[in-house]
Amino acid sequence: MSDGFDLIVIGAGPGGYVCAIRAAQLGMRVACVEKRETLGGTCLNIGCIPSKALLQSSENFTEAAHGFAAHGILVDNVRLDLARMHQRKSEVVTANVRGVEFLFKKNNITWLKGAATIAGPGRVVVAGSEYTAHAIVIATGSESTPLAGVPVDEDRIVTSTGALEFPSVPDHLVVIGAGVIGLELGSVWRRLGARVTVIEYLDRIVPGIDAETATAFQRLLTRQGLSFKLGQKVTAATRENSTITLTLEPAKGGPATTLTADRVLLAIGRRPHTEGLGLAACGIATDARGRIVTDARFATNVPGIYAIGDVIAGAMLAHKAEDEGAALAEILAGQKPHINYEAIPSVIYTWPELAAVGATEEDLKSRGIAYTVGKFPFTANGRARAMGMVDGFVKLLADKHTDRLLGAHILGADAGTLIAECVTALEFGASAEDVARICHAHPTLSEAVKEAALAVEGRALHI
Ligand code: FAD
Ligand code: NAI
């Protein structure tokens, strides 16, 4: 048995590595166990970072091929070097994972390499050695949810991991699931030349997103060439050489149809990753969806064992995991941090981007809250016109009686950056009028946020 640690974190994704760094900053002796060859978890290795690298490269490719001419820039013979694009993505990933390794060294965090099993409170086994700690944090993340009848081989039938590595542009890519992964990676391969068909079980895309915004989003994606089959479920996939035949059944019943593709991306959600941890032997409770049950202080039912990030309930987002990691370290150090789960933004990094925070119209209706809507289109924003990026709008929802901002939904260029102002406003309990009275620089896309705030009272200036 080795010398004890104050804290052992299992998993070095954004939840785990941030928890480890914050705990070390607060003076704890910390170890972090990671079974992957590199630190950074799903997010840095096979998630947020490589997908954003490909989204950026494919967006540049599309702009060069189709967008520059409108600016009077004539580029002949735009060609794709996919191998170089993949190499750049790998370089971006490497720089990020090495960054976490540097931060571990800087903060004297011990990286225990291998898969961890919890032997009991305060006891973790890694590669045959047992380590002890006062507290254990489970931050083991999530994995792609499988679908019966659709066997993933990460070659022709892939999860997001395989779709980040296609060696050539698919001829016809079928995406199962019109969620965040399906639309981001579907967009990448569409931009690079693939025919892309998205199959969705529900009768709408991106469930959870404000319905009006989702409908406008679908229209824009359709204009880019993505085609959608809504209200359909895939019940079987058979592969013959490089051709996959999918069987589709209408969700509400009816005759089955078939569809062929040369690549299939399965993206119907992610599930908690807890295999091999020894949860059952330790008596750590999970819910019906396999998520580790925690209280508001991230404590499991077993004293001294905590959990954060994708492996517990809530949005499966890197920034949610990070905030939980930092908060838990502070709780363990005796502080009283707080996370406002009502003000966690979500961003879909397609073109245009879709960003949201707080309530949707559907949420407010179901909760019986009276609200007012302020909307402003980017077509009426000077900067958006100058950029040639006029698709989309800003939509703000405010309490009808108090004017307090309750939700923000932005479809448009750089929506992921613009949403930050709305998150701040929500966090500080601002009213729509507060946002409307803040001076916004001209000409910026952020003026559309101000105009939408003015529109809540029916007094937008530029429309
Ligand atoms: P993870 O990042 O999954 O890390 C868990 C780590 O634990 C892994 O490295 C795993 O190897 C390790 N581990 C598991 N079990 C053990 C064990 N027994 N012993 C040792 N180590 C173990 N979120 C965003 O906010 N923005 C995005 O743009 C975004 N893009 C995404 C794109 C894709 C393609 C995917 C798949 C996800 C994306 N996400 C995005 C989601 C984001 O990646 C996750 O929410 C985030 O990584 C969760 O962090 P985590 O620390 O909880 O777990
Ligand atoms: P998702 O939950 O976003 O979308 C899954 C979609 O598949 C839903 O629309 C659902 O209705 C549909 N679906 C479920 N079962 C189906 C079936 N049998 N047939 C057809 N459709 C079916 O999940 P996704 O896209 O896999 O992403 C997983 C998680 O990763 C997300 O929760 C998200 O939080 C995170 N992520 C975040 C990103 C970001 O923040 N930009 C990017 C990528 C992933």
Side-chain angles (χ1 to χ4, degrees):
M1 186 169 313
S2 80
D3 284 349
F5 292 97
D6 292 316
L7 176 65
I8 296 180
V9 181
I10 305 175
Y17 84 70
V18 167
C19 184
I21 291 172
R22 186 73 188 114
Q25 284 178 345
L26 291 166
M28 289 178 232
R29 284 165 304 139
V30 183
C32 184
V33 194
E34 175 54 59
K35 65 180 180 182
R36 201 185 291 273
E37 292 295 305
T38 49
L39 301 172
T42 303
C43 175
L44 270 57
N45 290 281
I46 52 165
C48 322
I49 297 302
S51 61
K52 265 79 256 177
L54 283 187
L55 278 156
Q56 186 63 49
S57 297
S58 59
E59 201 173 302
N60 291 350
F61 178 71
T62 306
E63 275 298 288
H66 307 293
F68 284 180
H71 294 264
I73 305 166
L74 304 180
V75 188
D76 293 331
N77 200 19
V78 175
R79 286 164 306 136
L80 175 66
D81 181 349
L82 184 59
R84 174 65 200 131
M85 201 177 275
H86 279 314
Q87 191 190 330
R88 176 186 175 277
K89 174 198 66 192
S90 302
E91 288 162 6
V92 172
V93 167
T94 301
N96 277 277
V97 299
R98 289 215 180 122
V100 178
E101 213 173 313
F102 162 79
L103 292 172
F104 270 25
K105 285 192 185 121
K106 181 182 161 195
N107 289 285
N108 286 321
I109 296 164
T110 304
W111 174 7
L112 301 173
K113 298 184 183 184
T117 302
I118 303 173
R123 292 165 54 216
V124 175
V125 176
V126 185
S129 300
E130 184 167 304
Y131 300 87
T132 60
H134 298 305
I136 296 171
V137 174
I138 303 171
T140 50
S142 62
E143 60 191 359
S144 179
T145 305
L147 178 61
V150 183
V152 167
D153 57 18
E154 292 298 7
D155 171 26
R156 293 282 159 184
I157 304 179
V158 301
T159 65
S160 53
T161 305
L164 290 166
E165 300 292 341
F166 288 149
S168 57
V169 177
D171 174 32
H172 184 201
L173 170 65
V174 170
V175 176
I176 308 176
V180 193
I181 290 179
L183 298 182
E184 285 190 354
L185 293 178
S187 290
V188 165
W189 294 106
R190 171 69 204 128
R191 291 168 187 170
L192 298 181
R195 187 157 70 91
V196 176
T197 305
V198 183
I199 301 167
E200 166 60 47
Y201 181 78
L202 301 174
D203 57 7
R204 55 159 294 174
I205 68 167
V206 284
I209 294 290
D210 180 78
E212 180 192 24
T213 311
T215 302
F217 183 42
Q218 187 182 341
R219 209 174 299 128
L220 292 175
L221 293 173
T222 303
R223 204 170 75 194
Q224 293 165 26
L226 273 86
S227 87
F228 291 92
K229 286 181 182 290
L230 304 183
Q232 299 280 328
K233 59 180 175 183
V234 176
T235 51
T238 50
R239 176 177 171 177
E240 206 178 323
N241 302 319
S242 60
T243 303
I244 304 121
T245 303
L246 297 165
T247 306
L248 275 57
E249 287 178 23
K252 291 176 182 151
T257 53
T258 58
L259 189 64
T260 56
D262 59 330
R263 305 266 184 194
V264 173
L265 164 58
L266 178 64
I268 59 164
R270 293 178 63 83
R271 64 180 186 185
H273 180 51
T274 56
E275 198 188 306
L277 266 180
L279 294 189
C282 291
I284 297 172
T286 54
D287 68 13
R289 289 162 65 179
R291 301 175 298 192
I292 296 176
V293 177
T294 60
D295 65 13
R297 291 160 59 82
F298 311 107
T300 69
N301 60 318
V302 176
I305 302 182
Y306 302 81
I308 53 168
D310 278 13
V311 82
I312 68 169
M316 288 184 161
L317 294 172
H319 41 284
K320 178 257 191 189
E322 284 187 38
D323 285 1
E324 289 180 344
L328 175 52
E330 290 169 4
I331 288 169
L332 293 172
Q335 299 182 5
K336 292 188 169 56
H338 173 71
I339 295 176
N340 178 2
Y341 286 94
E342 302 293 314
I344 294 185
S346 67
V347 182
I348 307 177
Y349 298 86
T350 44
W351 180 259
E353 291 181 353
L354 196 166
V357 65
T360 63
E361 275 201 66
E362 295 69 45
D363 292 335
L364 296 176
K365 279 181 191 148
S366 72
R367 283 151 59 188
I369 297 172
Y371 62 92
T372 40
V373 182
K375 256 178 86 177
F376 190 81
F378 283 106
T379 42
N381 174 274
R383 183 64 182 280
R385 283 203 206 110
M387 293 163 76
M389 295 173 176
V390 293
D391 287 332
F393 52 78
V394 177
K395 174 176 173 178
L396 300 182
L397 303 172
D399 187 292
K400 191 179 169 90
H401 304 299
T402 65
D403 194 39
R404 185 180 174 142
L405 207 59
L406 300 173
H409 308 276
I410 307 179
L411 178 65
D414 223 6
T417 305
L418 295 176
I419 201 72
E421 173 183 9
C422 304
V423 177
T424 307
L426 244 72
E427 187 68 53
F428 284 88
S431 64
E433 186 184 347
D434 288 331
V435 176
R437 288 192 183 278
I438 292 170
C439 185
H440 289 68
H442 176 77
T444 60
L445 296 172
S446 75
E447 288 172 287
V449 176
K450 177 186 175 112
E451 289 278 0
L454 284 166
V456 167
E457 278 205 347
R459 58 186 196 95
L461 292 164
H462 289 89
I463 196 160

